[in-house]
Amino acid sequence: QRYDRFASIAACKTMDPEMEFELKYEGIDDALQMARKAHQKFEKSIFGGPSFTVKLMGVGILQMSSFKSAWVDFHTLLQAGNEHWVATKNAMLGSLAGTISARGGESVRASDLMGFEATFHCGSRKEMHDLEPKEASAEKKATSSFSQCVIDGAKKNKELREASPAAPYLRDEVVVRVDFRSFEKCGLHLKPTSNGNETRNPVYETFQSISGCRSIEKPEKSEEYPQRIKDKVNSKGYRGLLLGSGMPDEMLFEIVIDPEDFLQEVPLE
């Protein structure tokens, strides 16, 4: 018995497979860089829960040596778990945080500095597909730590692929899912000055004109910033602090990583 099959075709004018493929692998590289640096900088206990979050932020500090001389220093900060922020000079993370390309001087802009977080989950491909971003029940569903899930997942995937080498989709294959999310608002602090000449400095004026950011209260007393930032905030020449928010252009909100690839960058035990 013969029969015909029909399929409809519709043009997807907004779809760019090559771009999506490129953004996917850029997102994987970005997530792995953040996880690797967190592994280097913080206690390994951050990998002991069912998921963990790494935060990245660009920071600008307004400095003045006289009413004629003003400039903005840029720094990249990283945070994970319940630890305090730490500074990093990693060029790739600096690029993601916007501190490499940020415009200083009279051209300083809040939009140049990024601030976002990446949350890492581990589980079967179906579980990770069904998981809603920041889902409250995610921890209840997890039966092992993130690190154990990744280690066991790499072994399990190898067995599954050897058993079904031609299978295009393995329901029980283990993957690492990463959700990216922007900070809600940038942060701004401007130190009051009684020197009227300082307020007319073009760099100071530009910094003062930044709007749309939440107000930062008493940054000189904060314990969450690394020593390098605290020293500058408490220095004689300090005049202002800008904390970034937002994600780099065209960054995907969600990506998936193979546990074996994750372990190559982050040697969990």
Side-chain angles (χ1 to χ4, degrees):
Q1 184 179 0
R2 297 182 59 184
Y3 58 92
D4 295 321
R5 289 192 179 96
F6 299 93
S8 60
I9 300 176
C12 297
K13 296 180 180 180
T14 60
M15 184 177 181
D16 187 342
E18 290 186 7
M19 176 62 75
E20 290 186 12
F21 188 82
E22 182 178 338
L23 293 177
K24 170 186 173 183
Y25 281 93
E26 284 182 1
I28 290 174
D29 285 341
D30 295 342
L32 289 175
Q33 284 288 336
M34 293 176 70
R36 183 177 66 85
K37 186 57 68 172
H39 183 265
Q40 295 174 351
K41 294 279 190 178
F42 301 104
E43 294 291 332
K44 304 305 181 285
S45 58
I46 65 171
F47 302 101
S51 63
F52 71 97
T53 298
V54 182
K55 298 179 181 180
L56 183 67
M57 179 171 63
V59 174
I61 300 178
L62 174 62
Q63 300 272 306
M64 296 189 77
S65 58
S66 69
F67 71 89
K68 292 183 179 180
S69 180
W71 65 96
V72 181
D73 289 330
F74 295 105
H75 304 268
T76 305
L77 302 187
L78 191 78
Q79 191 264 348
N82 296 318
E83 305 282 342
H84 292 318
W85 290 93
V86 299
T88 176
K89 293 184 178 181
N90 181 285
M92 185 170 181
L93 295 182
S95 179
L96 287 175
T99 55
I100 299 296
S101 58
R103 292 165 287 188
E106 299 174 43
S107 301
V108 63
R109 298 287 186 275
S111 57
D112 284 349
L113 297 178
M114 303 293 105
F116 63 94
E117 64 183 31
T119 300
F120 296 73
H121 305 274
C122 178
S124 72
R125 186 172 288 277
K126 185 179 185 306
E127 288 173 343
M128 294 298 98
H129 176 273
D130 295 341
L131 183 69
E132 292 295 329
K134 307 296 288 184
E135 185 181 26
S137 61
E139 294 191 8
K140 296 179 181 179
K141 291 182 179 180
T143 57
S144 64
S145 67
F146 176 87
S147 59
Q148 196 61 52
C149 177
V150 174
I151 293 170
D152 292 344
K155 298 176 182 177
K156 181 177 181 178
N157 289 352
K158 185 178 180 180
E159 295 172 355
L160 289 172
R161 291 164 187 166
E162 288 177 351
S164 305
Y169 171 77
L170 297 170
R171 177 191 178 96
D172 296 323
E173 180 183 28
V174 177
V175 297
V176 173
R177 168 174 160 170
V178 186
D179 293 312
F180 294 102
R181 188 175 70 162
S182 169
F183 295 166
E184 186 174 349
K185 280 188 176 182
C186 52
L188 182 68
H189 175 259
L190 197 65
K191 185 178 180 180
T193 177
S194 58
N195 188 332
N197 290 326
E198 283 190 358
T199 61
R200 289 192 288 271
N201 180 285
V203 181
Y204 188 98
E205 284 184 332
T206 302
F207 208 91
Q208 189 178 38
S209 69
I210 294 174
S211 61
C213 298
R214 60 183 174 83
S215 177
I216 302 173
E217 302 295 333
K218 300 179 179 180
E220 69 278 2
K221 295 185 178 181
S222 176
E223 294 297 326
E224 65 175 320
Y225 303 125
Q227 193 61 46
R228 184 187 308 174
I229 303 299
K230 288 191 286 187
D231 288 344
K232 287 186 175 290
V233 169
N234 287 289
S235 68
K236 183 179 178 180
Y238 169 77
R239 293 296 182 273
L241 177 67
L242 176 63
L243 306 181
S245 70
M247 291 163 51
D249 292 340
E250 298 183 333
M251 173 178 266
L252 299 178
F253 290 104
E254 175 191 321
I255 53 99
V256 172
I257 305 174
D258 189 297
E260 186 175 356
D261 294 337
F262 189 93
L263 290 174
Q264 288 179 355
E265 288 291 333
V266 187
L268 300 174
E269 298 178 355

